[in-house]
Amino acid sequence: KPLRPRQRLPAVPQGIERSQFFLAIDELSREIGNENVEINDKPLDDGWYMEPPNTHDGMAITDEEDLVASAVVYPASTDEVQKIVHWANKYLIPLHPISMGRNFGYGGAAPRVRGAVVVDLGKRMNRILDINPEDCTCLVEPGVSYYALYEEIKRRGYKHLWIDVPDLGGGSVLGNALDHGVGYTPYGDHWAMHSGLEVVTPTGEVVRTGMGALPGNNTWQVFPYGFGPFIDGIFSQSNYGIVTKMGFGLMPDPGGHESFLYTFEKEGDLEQLVEIVRPLRIAMILDNAANIRHALQILALSGKPRTAFYKGEGAFPSEKMSEYMKAHPYGESTWLYFGTCYGPKEIRQLKLDIIHREFMKVPGARRVDPATLPPSDYFWSRDKISSGEPDLEELAWVNWWPNGGHVAFSPVAPTRGVDALRLWQMAKKHWTASGLDFFLDFVVGLRELHLIGECVYDRDDPKQRSNALEVMRSLIDEAAQKGYGEYRTHLLLSDQVAGTYSWNNNALMNFNEKLKDCLDPNGILAPGRSGIWPARYRGRGWEI
Ligand code: FAD
C-alpha cells in the first residue's frame, strides 16, 4: 500500500516488483531521512529555467512520461551519496545523478532509463568549499551555481577574481563542466579549467583525482595531473562515477575589457569570415571564443514571439529576416560576430585594431558602435557574459514559440571556411525541409569550430516535437557521413551519436563498455548515458 495517496502512478524501474521497489524506497528514506526522498507521484510540472523539474525533461521532445524518475533523493554529503550507491547495488535500482538539472536542450534532469532514481546533488550539497585568492582557484560541490560563486566572490571582496559563465548563469559550475559546457571569457573551456575531482564510484568507493590523492597536499586545485594515469576524463560525459567535489582555476581580472560587434551581410560571407577568424583565434588575438550568430536568433532575442514577425507556416523565410534586420539597430545582416578583448586599454587596442583591419576585408562588413546601442540591447548581455557576470537574457529566444522547447545539434569541425559553409548548408537544407526554425551559432573554442544549432519547437505540439527529433536524427547521420561528430547531445540521441564514433569496429565503445562493466558490475549508474549501457541492459532493446 502506498504510504500516502498518489496523484500519478510513479514509474518503477524495469526488473523490480512495484511493491519491492516501494519497500526499498522506504529503506532509503530511513537511511537518508524521509524528507530527503520524494516519490515522483505528482503531476509533472515543467517549471521554467529558474525552477527546473528534477523528475523529467522540462522540454520533453517525446512523451514526458518516457523519461521520468520514479523518485528523487537529496544527499547532503559524500557519505550519503555512498549510502545511496550501496542501496542501489543491493536492489539493482538505476540511479541518475544531476547537479542542478538545467541541462536544457540535452535532456534536462531526465534519466535515460524510465523509473531510475534521480540523485539530486544540488539541493543539499551546495557549499563553496574554498576560494583561494592567491592561487585564483575554487573548490565547489554540485549545487553551486554560477550566480552563487559570483556573489560569494563579491561578498568576500575579491575584486581581482573573475568567474567564467555560460550564456545562462543558473547552471551548476560542476555539472556544466562535466558535460563539457562552455563559457565566453578566455577561461571558457570549463573542463580544461578544472583541477581535481572527488568521485563516488558505482560500487561506493570514494576517489580523489590528481593531487587530491596525496594526503595533506595543498596543490589539488593548482595541478590537475598528479601522478600516474590521468583518470579525470572518464568521469566527464560518462556514467562511471558521481562527482561530489570539483576544483577550478579562476581568471584574474585582466585589467579591463571591451566588447565589439561586427555584422556581415551575406550568407556566403561565413566562409571568408571563418578563414579570418582561425589564425586570429589560434594566436589568441581574438581573446575569447568566437561567437558568430545567425541573425534569426537576434530577432528571437528581442523577446518577441515568432508571430510578432511572421504568422505563416514553415521555416522562417530569409527575406523576412533581412527585412526586419534592416530596421534593427544592427542593420542589414546575416551573421553577427560578438567578441571581447581583454587587458588595459593600450593592450586591447592593439588587438582591436588588428581585428578591425582583418574583419573589414569581408565586403560589406560593418562595426556596430556600442555607444549607439540602448542599455537594453542584447549586446550588453554578451558584454556581461564575456566579462564573467552571470545573466539570463539568453532565455529570450526560447520563447520564440509559446511553450518553447529546444534541442541542440552540436557538431565539431576544423575552423575552416569550407567546413563552416558545409555545416551551414546542411543545417539549412534540413530545417527548411522540416518546416522548423533553427538558431545557429558558430563558436570557435580555439582550433575547433562548434556549430550550436538549436532547433526550437512548441512543446505542446506533438507534430513539431516529432519533426524536431527526426531532423536531429537526419542531421547527425549526414554530418557523420561527411566526417563531423557531435561534442554533446540529447539523452535520446546518445546511442545514435555514440554509434557514429565507430572507427575500428567500435573500438572506443568496446573500451567504454569494458570500463563500465568493470567499474559498475551491477549496472546501476546512469545506464545509457552517452550511449554506454551496462552488460545487463545491452542488446535488450534499450539502444535507440
Ligand atoms: P546538470 O543538468 O546538473 O548536469 C548535466 C549532466 O551532467 C547531467 O544530466 C548528468 O548526466 C551529469 N552530471 C551532473 N552532475 C553530475 C555529478 N555530480 N556526477 C556525475 N554526473 C553528473 N550550456 C553551455 O555549456 N554553454 C552555454 O552557453 C549554454 N547556453 C544555453 C542557453 C540557453 C538559452 C539554454 C536553455 C541552455 C544553454 N546551455 C548552455 C545548456 C545548459 O543550460 C547548461 O549547460 C547548464 O549549465 C547545464 O545544466 P546544469 O549545470 O544544471 O547541469
Side-chain angles (χ1 to χ4, degrees):
K1 269 200 189 154
L3 296 174
R4 49 182 184 258
R6 307 214 190 288
Q7 298 175 33
R8 229 184 95 254
L9 188 68
V12 163
Q14 277 195 18
I16 178 162
E17 287 282 328
R18 187 166 279 271
S19 54
Q20 181 69 29
F21 175 75
F22 288 114
L23 286 175
I25 286 283
D26 287 347
E27 185 181 314
L28 183 67
S29 306
R30 280 193 293 276
E31 216 157 343
I32 307 293
N34 205 23
E35 67 288 9
N36 298 318
V37 182
E38 271 175 7
I39 292 179
N40 182 18
D41 59 357
K42 318 264 176 333
L44 298 177
D45 177 3
D46 289 347
W48 71 293
Y49 179 79
M50 289 313 281
E51 286 161 8
N54 56 10
T55 47
H56 66 288
D57 182 2
M59 292 183 176
I61 196 166
T62 59
D63 192 312
E64 278 188 331
E65 288 284 346
D66 287 349
L67 304 176
V68 282
S70 52
V72 183
V73 54
Y74 302 100
S77 62
T78 301
D79 182 51
E80 286 195 354
V81 174
Q82 286 179 281
K83 284 187 181 149
I84 295 165
V85 165
H86 286 137
W87 168 85
N89 274 285
K90 181 168 162 195
Y91 294 105
L92 299 184
I93 291 175
L95 299 176
H96 179 72
I98 59 166
S99 286
M100 296 184 88
R102 292 200 170 100
N103 213 10
F104 287 116
Y106 299 106
R112 174 64 180 82
V113 166
R114 179 178 154 81
V117 171
V118 165
V119 184
D120 184 337
L121 296 138
K123 187 175 170 193
R124 298 173 72 215
M125 296 178 72
N126 52 17
R127 288 174 307 160
I128 296 170
L129 299 165
D130 186 38
I131 300 175
N132 186 312
E134 281 88 36
D135 298 334
C136 303
T137 59
C138 67
L139 180 68
V140 295
E141 288 189 329
V144 176
S145 71
Y146 294 98
Y147 273 107
L149 186 58
Y150 178 80
E151 295 300 336
E152 184 57 19
I153 287 174
K154 280 213 135 105
R155 198 190 64 76
R156 294 193 194 182
Y158 297 146
K159 291 203 173 74
H160 67 294
L161 287 185
W162 276 21
I163 65 166
D164 184 277
V165 289
D167 283 335
L168 298 174
S172 155
V173 176
L174 182 155
N176 177 285
L178 281 184
D179 211 24
H180 300 168
V182 296
Y184 300 93
T185 74
Y187 276 36
D189 180 345
H190 294 162
W191 180 255
M193 291 302 157
H194 99 274
S195 183
L197 303 176
E198 179 185 89
V199 187
V200 175
T201 71
T203 43
E205 295 86 15
V206 186
V207 177
R208 288 190 175 180
T209 67
M211 300 308 290
L214 189 88
N217 80 83
N218 54 6
T219 42
W220 198 15
Q221 272 63 70
V222 292
F223 183 63
Y225 305 121
F227 180 74
F230 183 54
I231 61 169
D232 292 40
I234 68 162
F235 298 110
S236 72
Q237 285 196 0
S238 82
N239 46 17
Y240 299 147
I242 300 182
V243 179
T244 46
K245 294 182 180 65
M246 193 164 179
F248 291 92
L250 296 170
M251 180 168 147
D253 181 336
H257 77 279
E258 190 168 333
S259 297
F260 55 89
L261 168 60
Y262 285 82
T263 67
F264 303 88
E265 273 177 26
K266 294 191 274 321
E267 282 185 10
D269 291 344
L270 180 68
E271 184 170 11
Q272 189 182 357
L273 175 59
V274 168
E275 283 297 305
I276 290 171
V277 164
R278 184 185 56 250
L280 295 180
R281 181 68 191 114
I282 293 176
M284 295 185 193
I285 288 166
L286 285 166
D287 276 328
N288 67 341
N291 194 313
I292 306 169
R293 291 209 164 194
H294 186 248
L296 185 58
Q297 196 170 22
I298 298 300
L299 298 189
L301 279 160
S302 68
K304 290 187 204 143
R306 182 189 208 259
T307 46
F309 298 97
Y310 180 63
K311 293 197 171 49
E313 299 274 307
F316 197 92
S318 30
E319 317 80 65
K320 275 265 155 215
M321 184 190 82
S322 306
E323 207 177 284
Y324 282 110
M325 284 313 288
K326 268 185 207 158
H328 192 280
Y330 300 168
E332 189 171 2
S333 45
T334 301
W335 302 108
L336 300 111
Y337 188 106
F338 291 92
T340 305
C341 278
Y342 302 85
K345 177 84 181 148
E346 60 278 19
I347 291 180
R348 60 178 195 257
Q349 196 57 50
L350 288 173
K351 292 182 270 189
L352 287 165
D353 289 345
I354 299 173
I355 293 163
H356 185 74
R357 191 188 67 216
E358 293 301 307
F359 279 17
M360 293 306 283
K361 286 180 181 165
V362 181
R366 275 179 303 110
R367 177 180 171 272
V368 176
D369 180 0
T372 63
L373 300 173
S376 58
D377 192 89
Y378 172 68
F379 174 86
W380 299 112
S381 169
R382 287 245 65 83
D383 182 61
K384 276 168 87 177
I385 291 164
S386 305
S387 53
E389 191 179 334
D391 199 36
L392 292 176
E393 191 73 21
E394 193 74 23
L395 274 176
W397 59 255
V398 181
N399 297 326
W400 188 239
W401 288 106
N403 303 308
H406 60 103
V407 56
F409 168 60
S410 317
V412 180
T415 309
R416 294 202 195 107
V418 60
D419 291 278
L421 211 52
R422 203 180 285 156
L423 285 175
W424 154 249
Q425 283 160 352
M426 198 175 84
K428 190 173 175 188
K429 178 183 79 182
H430 284 276
W431 101 60
T432 313
S434 70
L436 293 162
D437 292 337
F438 263 64
F439 298 143
L440 293 192
D441 200 356
F442 286 95
V443 179
V444 180
L446 188 61
R447 280 180 177 74
E448 91 298 348
L449 176 91
H450 288 60
L451 165 61
I452 311 292
E454 294 283 5
C455 173
V456 282
Y457 53 87
D458 178 347
R459 293 186 336 243
D460 280 353
D461 182 337
K463 178 103 178 56
Q464 279 202 21
R465 288 196 325 233
S466 67
N467 266 358
L469 193 57
E470 215 170 289
V471 75
M472 284 293 140
R473 291 212 178 274
S474 321
L475 279 165
I476 293 165
D477 279 346
E478 190 175 334
Q481 280 157 20
K482 294 187 156 91
Y484 306 112
E486 283 67 47
Y487 93 102
R488 188 176 179 187
T489 199
H490 190 281
L491 272 185
L492 284 170
L493 299 167
S494 295
D495 292 319
Q496 188 187 358
V497 169
T500 64
Y501 286 78
S502 61
W503 182 78
N504 193 16
N505 291 324
N506 303 308
L508 180 61
M509 183 51 82
N510 293 339
F511 183 79
N512 287 340
E513 287 176 350
K514 257 186 213 160
L515 272 181
K516 181 68 179 164
D517 295 343
C518 167
L519 295 172
D520 186 7
N522 291 323
I524 54 105
L525 195 60
R529 164 93 162 119
S530 294
I532 305 166
W533 292 95
R536 75 186 172 93
Y537 286 78
R538 281 203 289 278
R540 289 164 190 246
W542 288 95
E543 298 91 342
I544 48 174

